Amino acid sequence: MKNNNYCVIMAGGIGSRFWPMSTQKFPKQFHDILGTGRTMIQQTFDRINQLIPTENIYVITNQEYVDLTQQQLPQIPSENIVGEPAMKNTSACNLYMAKKIENVNPEANIIVMPADHLILKEKTFLDKLELAFDLASKNDYLITLGITPTRPDTGYGYIQFIQEKDQAVSKVKTFTEKPNLEIAKNFIESGDFLWNAGIFIWNTKSILSAFKKYLPEMLNQFNEGEYNCDAEKEYIETIYPTVSKISIDNGILEKADNVYVIPANLGWSDLGTWTSVYTNADKNDDNNAISSKNVLTYNSKGNVIRIKNQNKAAVIDGLKNYIIVDTEKALLICPRDNDQLIKEYVLDLKNLKKGERFM
């Protein structure tokens, strides 16, 4: 029987909050952030490949990263690695991939997931995914996996759901973008909010129907093209400059009335900041997360330390709760509490003469 389950890995981000390790030429999803021996995109592939055959796995990324993706995931057929000609947020890439996969299999169920997230409880993830595929194949549902929150985090979006006793899936009531701390605390206390991980499951018919209802102009643009043939690339490059830049959350999910969530405790992190890396990394007796050889620390605790050149010695004395990242082109030393300012550091560096050299 033909396997109707497909995966789209979204791998187009730059990961500027991970500067200086993550750069525009070599962004975070292509790095081994936690020192496991596999990069983030490779770990994502390894995880989903346990359930979905390789030929049904697609990657959509920036055109600039197509070669890098092929180098890191040589198992995936080259025609399944798709380069966007411009960054247009997540509605365009979801529609593009739904059209490509529909052309191959009109009955396809698709999971769309980021390339750079950490999921420690893989069996739970795969069990929840099998449930989601079953629901998507039998119902006109747009499904998301909602992460059981462990703290009032202001860095994540939240999903409010309608609780029903002993139900594995619940109807979504509201989506909320990153709230302030007081609102996040209220969400956690209420017990009916989950973190939005940006992991979605739907049948091609359901998602294309949603585009027809909520983003009809965008659907019309993509409907005119031919897919999985020589004409595809030229057509996509022609329409992309005029395609609206809008997220799938804002464009469809916040408006649709057939959105459902499966609560899941996955040991999940989006590894969006150096502090999240510190939280998930192995630490020594002084609570330093060090993934480099030849590093000596004195009176230093709670630091995340990355020295790219493994032959380079580093001595760190008197620093507590800092981020220390040294690469070939740049050095970052800042308090962990300031990790949300790294994007601003990068922008300021770009304003320096020839600042782009450091990006």
Side-chain angles (χ1 to χ4, degrees), residues 10-169:
M10 296 185 293
I14 296 172
S16 57
R17 287 182 296 174
F18 265 101
W19 184 85
M21 178 184 283
S22 179
T23 64
Q24 191 162 337
K25 290 189 180 298
F26 205 95
K28 114 181 177 188
Q29 58 269 27
F30 301 107
H31 287 273
D32 178 9
I33 296 284
L34 292 175
T36 64
R38 297 285 279 171
T39 66
M40 297 305 299
I41 194 171
Q42 287 172 335
Q43 289 185 61
T44 301
F45 170 81
D46 294 345
R47 187 181 305 124
I48 201 67
N49 197 211
Q50 297 174 59
L51 197 63
I52 296 178
T54 302
E55 63 271 18
N56 287 11
I57 299 174
Y58 289 72
V59 178
I60 185 159
T61 185
N62 191 295
Q63 279 184 350
E64 187 178 355
Y65 308 140
V66 167
D67 289 346
L68 196 50
T69 303
Q70 290 174 337
Q71 290 169 20
Q72 294 207 356
L73 296 175
Q75 312 94 317
I76 294 182
S78 59
E79 62 269 21
N80 287 19
I81 298 174
V82 180
E84 285 186 288
M87 295 177 70
K88 290 288 184 172
N89 216 312
T90 50
S91 285
C93 71
N94 272 282
L95 179 51
Y96 182 11
M97 298 311 295
K99 293 295 294 182
K100 271 187 75 72
I101 293 171
E102 179 203 34
N103 180 262
V104 175
N105 182 355
E107 303 300 319
N109 311 301
I110 306 171
I111 176 173
V112 183
M113 57 194 300
D116 52 4
H117 288 189
L118 175 70
I119 294 176
L120 296 175
K121 298 179 181 180
E122 290 196 347
K123 185 180 185 307
T124 301
F125 168 71
L126 296 173
D127 288 345
K128 298 287 186 181
L129 182 51
E130 286 192 304
L131 169 63
F133 275 141
D134 183 59
L135 288 167
S137 68
K138 297 173 180 175
N139 302 277
D140 181 24
Y141 287 177
L142 306 176
I143 302 168
T144 180
L145 295 188
I147 306 301
T148 308
T150 56
R151 61 188 181 277
D153 199 301
T154 60
Y156 298 145
Y158 286 75
I159 301 167
Q160 185 181 24
F161 63 102
I162 299 170
Q163 292 194 15
E164 296 180 28
K165 192 175 181 182
D166 300 325
Q167 292 296 310
V169 62

Side-chain angles (χ1 to χ4, degrees), residues 79-347:
E79 62 269 21
N80 287 19
I81 298 174
V82 180
E84 285 186 288
M87 295 177 70
K88 290 288 184 172
N89 216 312
T90 50
S91 285
C93 71
N94 272 282
L95 179 51
Y96 182 11
M97 298 311 295
K99 293 295 294 182
K100 271 187 75 72
I101 293 171
E102 179 203 34
N103 180 262
V104 175
N105 182 355
E107 303 300 319
N109 311 301
I110 306 171
I111 176 173
V112 183
M113 57 194 300
D116 52 4
H117 288 189
L118 175 70
I119 294 176
L120 296 175
K121 298 179 181 180
E122 290 196 347
K123 185 180 185 307
T124 301
F125 168 71
L126 296 173
D127 288 345
K128 298 287 186 181
L129 182 51
E130 286 192 304
L131 169 63
F133 275 141
D134 183 59
L135 288 167
S137 68
K138 297 173 180 175
N139 302 277
D140 181 24
Y141 287 177
L142 306 176
I143 302 168
T144 180
L145 295 188
I147 306 301
T148 308
T150 56
R151 61 188 181 277
D153 199 301
T154 60
Y156 298 145
Y158 286 75
I159 301 167
Q160 185 181 24
F161 63 102
I162 299 170
Q163 292 194 15
E164 296 180 28
K165 192 175 181 182
D166 300 325
Q167 292 296 310
V169 62
S170 300
K171 195 170 177 61
V172 170
K173 189 174 181 181
T174 62
F175 286 88
T176 303
E177 293 294 324
K178 300 171 183 178
N180 63 37
L181 185 58
E182 185 177 347
I183 292 174
K185 286 179 178 177
N186 290 336
F187 284 175
I188 300 300
E189 288 169 6
S190 74
D192 60 353
F193 282 83
L194 302 162
W195 284 337
N196 183 358
I199 301 172
F200 308 115
I201 303 96
W202 40 56
N203 187 272
T204 51
K205 292 185 178 70
S206 296
I207 191 60
L208 292 175
S209 174
F211 271 100
K212 184 177 182 179
K213 186 172 183 179
Y214 300 107
L215 292 173
E217 183 180 346
M218 186 181 291
L219 179 63
N220 287 338
Q221 289 175 297
F222 280 87
N223 275 347
E224 296 296 319
E226 296 180 66
Y227 295 92
N228 306 310
C229 62
D230 293 340
E232 176 187 320
K233 188 172 187 291
E234 183 179 352
Y235 182 77
I236 290 297
E237 289 181 347
T238 301
I239 65 166
Y240 246 71
T242 63
V243 170
S244 297
K245 191 173 187 178
I246 184 170
S247 72
I248 195 80
D249 299 68
N250 295 147
I252 290 181
L253 298 176
E254 291 174 7
K255 302 170 183 175
D257 58 4
N258 61 333
V259 183
Y260 289 78
V261 63
I262 297 175
N265 180 3
L266 302 179
W268 172 89
S269 170
D270 71 346
L271 288 182
T273 64
W274 281 110
T275 293
S276 64
V277 169
Y278 174 81
T279 301
N280 289 284
D282 293 333
K283 303 171 191 67
N284 64 16
D285 292 343
D286 288 323
N287 277 326
N288 292 313
I290 306 172
S291 69
S292 314
K293 297 185 296 184
N294 306 319
V295 175
L296 293 177
T297 60
Y298 302 88
N299 307 309
S300 298
K301 295 183 178 181
N303 301 299
V304 53
I305 303 169
R306 296 286 187 274
I307 311 295
K308 186 172 183 179
N309 185 345
Q310 293 294 317
N311 295 318
K312 188 177 191 176
V315 177
I316 296 159
D317 189 351
L319 288 184
K320 294 182 180 177
N321 302 323
Y322 265 72
I323 301 163
I324 304 108
V325 183
D326 184 42
T327 69
E328 292 173 1
K329 291 187 176 181
L331 169 65
L332 170 69
I333 304 172
C334 78
R336 273 182 26 220
D337 287 347
N338 289 358
D339 65 358
Q340 295 290 343
L341 298 177
I342 291 176
K343 274 190 171 183
E344 295 180 28
Y345 304 157
V346 171
L347 288 173

